[in-house]
Every structure is written in structure tokens, then in C-alpha cells.
Amino acid sequence: MSTATRPRIRIVRPFFADLIAPLRTEADVVVEAERARDSAELNTLLLDCDAAIVGLSDRIDAAVIAGNARIRLIANLGVGHNNLDLPALTRAGIAASNTPEVLNESVADYAFALLLAAARRLGEAERWLRAGQWQAPNRFDDWLGVEVHGATLGILGMGRIGQAIARRAAGFSMSVLYHNRSRLDTAREHACRARYVDKATLLRAADFLMLVLPYTEQNRHAIGASELALMKPGSVLVNIARGGIVDDAALAEALHARRIAAAALDVFEDEPAPHPRLLMLDNVVLSPHIASASTPTRRAMAQLALDNVRAVLGLAPGPPPSVLNPDVLDRAARKPQGPSDKSILDLSEGAESGTGPNSATS
């Protein structure tokens, strides 16, 4: 491919150099440093490229794509995509993609790591030990935690990751209840050994409440003061979904007052700054949005983003594997063919043949 016709790809969220290297043989690839950027800087960065790979902290909205007649794809490194203004991208004829499926098992593993750490006060105990406070044998009734085996696990949001978490619960002999925007079919419920209940019942019955639902305006503060008041006094809340689903101020108050026993959070309303009261509490385990951070999973996510880029730019045959707004590609296919349309025209056939993201809530 001549230099004049080589597409330009900008990677705003840098990742594994060995995965990027093959792309350099067919495109001009610019890898940016990892840092926070405002809308104006992102707008400038994206003006001269045909595709961009971004992260969850990069808010791509109408202001960022204003005046950009060149870019064809925003590839998001993450299954969630509330950082993307999909209606604005679709109106502008820009495809968007995410990285579903490849992180389900890794995130489900981490969800149980958080659950166990909060239940058995692991973070609190480690801080106590590191501070040199283990000067004598523990009292017999010190460090009492919450039992996991045989408990009731409540899952709010029963998509791909929620189902993977439910399957793991069997190993702890847990009863599984769930609430979702739509009920699973009988076969999936049986595979997950899960029972559908309404949200209020879920909150009242769960010993452990696991949040695995996507962030939308409708789901903002899905767990607030009134929901926390319904939970058992000895229960544990785990959020691996998105910040903003929980009212962090209300949660901090509930934890401080011991209205629930503990919480474990991988996501926060104002990332990367957790609510300051949460930082002061011993009965909450905090981690910096790393549930998918295993080497195989992060590499698979990066490769999926690259596969979407290569397909949309016509560097690989077939439709992109996980485009969120495939109607953009379909519209492009109906345009009169011109030199700038060629790559999308070649791949758009079959773009709506089930290759888009699963409709499950995670």
C-alpha cells in the first residue's frame, strides 16, 4: 500500500507493542502517551486519523468529533461504552466498537476475589498487619467475617458476566437470585442455578449483592439510600459494573453506620477519585477499576479492538466483530461508491447478521 493511501490510526489508550507491530506494515500508527485529555485536545488528536482506539476515560461526544470528516471508527477498549455518545457518532456516520465476550471469565473471577476479600475482612486485616499491630496472639473472637458458603448471592444485571459469576457460586454452595431487565430463558436459568425475582426481593434476600449492570441514565444511582435500607444488616455489596450505578455518598453513610456489613468496589462515581469518606472506612475493599486486568484478557481486548479497526478500514475481509452501531456501515454501503467509500463498502454486507454485541446487560 502506498504511503499516500495508507490509513492513519491513533491509539490514545496505549497497549501491547507486539500486537500493534503488524498493523504498522499497512497503516500509519500513532501511539499517544497515557494521560487525561479534555474535549478540545481529543478533537485535535482525532482530526487527522481514520480510526482511533480509546479507553473508558476518553469521553467521545459531539464536541470531540466536531468538524471531523475523516474518522470512520472509534474503537473502545472495554465492554462498557458509556464514555461514547453513540447517537452523536451515529449521526456523524462514525462507527463505534467495544470489546465484549473476551473479558467475561476474568471479570467473574475478580468479582469473587472482591466478594471474598470483603466478606473475610482481608483488606482491613492486611493493613493492620502491615502497620505492625500484630504484637500478640489474636483474641478468639477477633476478625470475625461473613460466611460465603451456603449464603444467598443476589445478582443485579444477568448478562454474560453475571451468568459467569452465577456459575462460580455453585462452588460455594450458594443460592443465586437475580434481577435483570429481561428474564433469562429456562435453559440459562438452569445452567446458572439461578432464580428470577423482582428488585426489592433481591435486595432484601441477598447476603451478597453483586452489581453487573451497564451504566445508563436510567441506571444512575440504581443503588441509593432507599435501596441500601432494604438490604440485610449483615450483607455485602460488590460493584464491578460502573461508577454512578451506586450513590457512593449514600453507600459511605450506610457503611459508616454499619447498616450493611461491608462493600467491595472496583468502580466509582468520580474516577479516578473515590468518594473521600470511602477512603476512611475499614469495611470497604477498594480497587482501581482492574477487574479485567489479567494478561490474556487484556491482550484479547486489545486484539479485538485491532480487529475492528482492520475490518472497518478494509485492511481485513469480513465485517467488524463488535460494532455497536452497525447501521452506520449499512448506510455507507448504500452510498454511491467513491474512492473514500471503498473500504467500508467491501465489508458492510452482513454487518447486521448477528455480529453486533450481545444484548445482555453486562
Side-chain angles (χ1 to χ4, degrees), residues 144-290:
L144 302 182
V146 179
E147 291 280 16
V148 175
H149 70 273
T152 297
L153 175 64
I155 302 176
L156 185 56
M158 196 65 152
R160 298 172 294 253
I161 296 172
Q163 292 169 47
I165 291 168
R167 291 193 297 271
R168 282 158 175 75
F172 292 87
S173 301
M174 301 180 87
S175 301
V176 179
L177 305 176
Y178 78 97
H179 182 72
N180 198 44
R181 63 187 176 188
S182 57
R183 186 170 179 172
L184 301 180
D185 60 46
T186 303
R188 288 191 183 190
E189 282 191 346
H190 181 74
C192 295
R193 298 172 48 170
R195 181 165 63 90
Y196 180 85
V197 295
D198 61 53
K199 183 178 175 182
T201 299
L202 186 79
L203 295 173
R204 292 189 180 100
D207 298 305
F208 296 89
L209 178 64
M210 185 78 67
L211 306 182
V212 206
L213 63 169
Y215 181 85
T216 64
E217 281 305 312
Q218 293 73 30
N219 286 341
R220 182 176 184 273
H221 289 185
I223 302 296
S226 59
E227 288 79 14
L228 291 162
L230 292 177
M231 294 176 64
K232 293 180 179 180
S235 61
V236 176
L237 181 145
V238 182
N239 187 8
I240 56 161
R242 280 291 178 271
I245 289 171
V246 175
D247 180 340
D248 284 355
L251 175 61
E253 175 57 32
L255 290 166
H256 174 74
R258 302 286 170 167
R259 287 198 291 273
I260 63 172
L265 310 173
D266 188 47
V267 292
F268 307 90
E269 280 197 86
D270 298 311
E271 293 181 14
H275 192 285
R277 288 195 70 191
L278 291 172
L279 298 173
M280 300 167 61
L281 295 168
D282 281 332
N283 57 336
V284 58
V285 176
L286 309 172
S287 70
H289 205 147
I290 57 171

Side-chain angles (χ1 to χ4, degrees), residues 1-345:
M1 184 179 292
S2 70
T3 302
T5 60
R6 284 164 61 94
R8 169 167 287 200
I9 299 154
R10 195 173 295 275
I11 299 177
V12 181
R13 173 81 154 143
F15 50 85
F16 310 98
D18 64 306
L19 296 184
I20 298 170
L23 189 62
R24 295 186 185 278
T25 65
E26 50 196 2
D28 296 327
V29 181
V30 181
V31 180
E32 300 292 337
E34 181 82 61
R35 62 183 177 82
R37 294 179 171 85
D38 61 20
S39 292
E41 187 174 359
L42 284 169
N43 176 272
T44 300
L45 281 179
L46 302 188
L47 281 174
D48 68 343
C49 61
D50 299 283
I53 298 178
V54 304
L56 297 174
S57 63
D58 301 309
R59 173 67 182 166
I60 309 297
D61 55 18
V64 170
I65 58 174
N68 196 327
R70 178 172 176 175
I71 197 162
R72 300 177 186 176
L73 173 70
I74 301 292
N76 212 40
L77 276 173
V79 64
H81 48 84
N82 52 291
N83 59 312
L84 306 183
D85 186 337
L86 276 179
L89 290 169
T90 302
R91 286 193 300 271
I94 300 170
S97 67
N98 65 339
T99 58
E101 302 289 0
V102 296
L103 47 65
N104 299 349
E105 302 302 328
S106 179
V107 172
D109 285 350
Y110 194 78
F112 257 93
L114 287 177
L115 184 153
L116 289 163
R120 300 304 297 273
R121 302 171 63 185
L122 181 60
E124 183 183 357
E126 187 194 20
R127 290 189 296 273
W128 182 83
L129 186 152
R130 286 180 180 273
Q133 297 185 59
W134 195 12
Q135 303 296 332
N138 295 326
R139 286 169 47 96
F140 188 68
D141 57 355
D142 278 345
W143 298 109
L144 302 182
V146 179
E147 291 280 16
V148 175
H149 70 273
T152 297
L153 175 64
I155 302 176
L156 185 56
M158 196 65 152
R160 298 172 294 253
I161 296 172
Q163 292 169 47
I165 291 168
R167 291 193 297 271
R168 282 158 175 75
F172 292 87
S173 301
M174 301 180 87
S175 301
V176 179
L177 305 176
Y178 78 97
H179 182 72
N180 198 44
R181 63 187 176 188
S182 57
R183 186 170 179 172
L184 301 180
D185 60 46
T186 303
R188 288 191 183 190
E189 282 191 346
H190 181 74
C192 295
R193 298 172 48 170
R195 181 165 63 90
Y196 180 85
V197 295
D198 61 53
K199 183 178 175 182
T201 299
L202 186 79
L203 295 173
R204 292 189 180 100
D207 298 305
F208 296 89
L209 178 64
M210 185 78 67
L211 306 182
V212 206
L213 63 169
Y215 181 85
T216 64
E217 281 305 312
Q218 293 73 30
N219 286 341
R220 182 176 184 273
H221 289 185
I223 302 296
S226 59
E227 288 79 14
L228 291 162
L230 292 177
M231 294 176 64
K232 293 180 179 180
S235 61
V236 176
L237 181 145
V238 182
N239 187 8
I240 56 161
R242 280 291 178 271
I245 289 171
V246 175
D247 180 340
D248 284 355
L251 175 61
E253 175 57 32
L255 290 166
H256 174 74
R258 302 286 170 167
R259 287 198 291 273
I260 63 172
L265 310 173
D266 188 47
V267 292
F268 307 90
E269 280 197 86
D270 298 311
E271 293 181 14
H275 192 285
R277 288 195 70 191
L278 291 172
L279 298 173
M280 300 167 61
L281 295 168
D282 281 332
N283 57 336
V284 58
V285 176
L286 309 172
S287 70
H289 205 147
I290 57 171
S292 67
S294 71
T295 300
T297 293
R298 286 287 173 93
R299 287 181 66 86
M301 292 168 68
Q303 188 60 60
L304 184 53
L306 290 168
D307 291 345
N308 280 300
V309 167
R310 296 187 75 247
V312 168
L313 298 186
L315 302 175
S322 56
V323 163
L324 294 161
N325 52 352
D327 54 311
V328 167
L329 305 182
D330 191 50
R331 287 207 311 262
R334 293 195 296 267
K335 286 182 183 178
Q337 185 170 345
S340 64
D341 299 321
K342 181 76 165 69
S343 61
I344 291 182
L345 284 164

